[in-house]
Amino acid sequence: MLSSVVFWGLIALIGTSRGLYPFTHSTSPHLPPRLYRGCYGDIMTMETLGTTCDINSLINCGIRGSETFAEMDLRAMKPYPTLIKEVGQRHCVDPAVIAAIISRESHGGSVLRDGWDRGGLKFGLMQLDKQIYHPVGTWDSKEHLLQAVGVLTDRIKAIQKKFSTWNVTQHLKDRPYFESGIEAIVTPADVDDDYVNDVLARA
Ligand SMILES: *[C@@H]1O[C@H](CO)[C@@H](O)[C@H](O)[C@H]1NC(C)=O
């Protein structure tokens, strides 16, 4: 799921401000620091299908399709690498996952109007639903992103607790991140859909 412009693009985007290109398999004596993966599993070991291939999208689908979509959002994501890394470290979440959700939800904020979606129901880079949460802060602020990622980790923890036998991939593959409670989730198939596969491939 890596080996693409997008992968390196996201790495560059969330790489450190010193301009390092962290790569864990290097044998160079100048080993860069290991890329921060947070507390919810190593996404590079997780299986994903990428975005769904159906009759309407035979070309832009699968892992390559997701990567292409993420790549298209890179420019809009440019203001946020530091913010995303800080918030990721605070909540112990892989910044690549946060970046991927931002890409999927709001294309780096580029499709939002004053932070709101077209229907005026979802707010911020990660598109918190105002019917469920009370969004705090401005749409691209640290305060708001901390809230949104906190919602994400609360959900992952709830799934971990409810389904203690599932593995890290299944715990992370929660769907859709901000729209409903976890009551409806019963089997791993319930958390394995286009949304999560697309997000993982983008990450
Ligand atoms: C988690 O379990 C699923 C279903 O059995 C499997 O396909 C996947 O490879 C597992 N992932 C990890 C990281 O163990």
Side-chain angles (χ1 to χ4, degrees), residues 132-133 151-164 166 170-187 190-191:
I132 306 173
Y133 309 98
V151 167
L152 172 68
T153 54
D154 283 350
R155 285 193 60 113
I156 297 172
K157 286 175 195 158
I159 303 255
Q160 287 174 337
K161 203 168 160 203
K162 185 172 175 186
F163 303 104
S164 55
W166 291 11
Q170 292 164 324
H171 284 145
L172 189 68
K173 279 190 168 184
D174 176 21
R175 75 158 292 262
Y177 285 97
F178 306 115
E179 280 160 27
S180 58
I182 65 163
E183 299 78 30
I185 299 171
V186 181
T187 75
D190 296 329
V191 293

Side-chain angles (χ1 to χ4, degrees), residues 44-98:
M44 300 315 293
T45 67
M46 296 181 183
E47 287 167 26
T48 180
L49 300 169
T51 189
T52 309
C53 295
D54 60 31
I55 196 72
N56 297 314
S57 56
L58 287 172
I59 298 171
N60 281 323
C61 71
I63 290 171
R64 188 72 202 103
S66 293
E67 289 173 338
T68 304
F69 292 136
E71 191 177 346
M72 285 167 14
D73 294 336
L74 278 181
R75 184 191 293 261
M77 302 283 288
K78 272 225 164 95
Y80 306 118
T82 306
L83 175 70
I84 290 171
K85 268 190 301 174
E86 282 175 5
V87 171
Q89 296 210 342
R90 184 88 76 84
H91 280 297
C92 204
V93 172
D94 188 337
V97 171
I98 300 173

